[in-house]
Amino acid sequence: MEPQVIDRPEKSRYEILAEPDAETGTETGTETGTEPGTETGAETAGFAEYHLSEGEIAFLHTEIDPRFGGRGLGGLLARGALDDGRARGLRVLPYCPFIRGWIGKHPEYTELVPEARRARFGL
């Protein structure tokens, strides 16, 4: 299974689901000979916590489980959460240093942050 970003509004967070590999800590598939997606062992590999209010989504904290580190899941989580915010017409307030840094490296997402507040976030 490919990593998947889902919104969990009841928890006020986006989660990224991925399959761990017990021996290597990488996605099931290439090293074991199993096709990704044929196992149902997807786990929550990380999350981006948010607060939603009046057309704005404030990202507060992002975390990836160390067992899933080094696989680029943080970037996939950020992109998925921001793409969903864009699709919903939400203004983004990146209080979380990870989300803020990710937007800084991907300027095509800067427009999601209200122009009057970009300087506050260093964008």
Side-chain angles (χ1 to χ4, degrees):
M1 154 182 174
E2 291 295 316
Q4 182 178 14
V5 176
I6 56 172
D7 185 12
R8 299 267 194 222
E10 72 280 4
K11 293 183 177 181
S12 295
R13 69 189 204 176
Y14 287 91
E15 295 181 354
I16 187 160
L17 305 178
E19 293 182 11
D21 181 80
E23 292 182 30
T24 64
T26 59
E27 212 170 270
T28 303
T30 57
E31 295 180 33
T32 63
T34 311
E35 286 298 314
T38 60
E39 301 290 330
T40 58
E43 297 180 27
T44 300
F47 63 88
E49 182 181 348
Y50 65 80
H51 176 74
L52 190 59
S53 176
E54 299 177 22
E56 294 181 334
I57 186 165
F59 287 98
L60 308 173
H61 177 71
T62 302
E63 190 173 312
I64 297 294
D65 185 315
R67 295 178 304 128
F68 293 87
R71 293 169 45 183
L73 296 178
L76 291 174
L77 175 57
R79 183 180 305 276
L82 292 169
D83 284 348
D84 187 60
R86 176 181 277 148
R88 294 167 57 188
L90 298 172
R91 296 177 305 274
V92 171
L93 305 177
Y95 292 104
C96 167
F98 180 81
I99 298 291
R100 185 170 53 247
W102 195 89
I103 291 172
K105 292 176 186 172
H106 299 86
E108 65 273 23
Y109 287 87
T110 303
E111 68 186 33
L112 297 176
V113 180
E115 189 171 356
R117 297 175 97 175
R118 290 178 192 162
R120 189 247 186 262
F121 295 111
L123 299 170

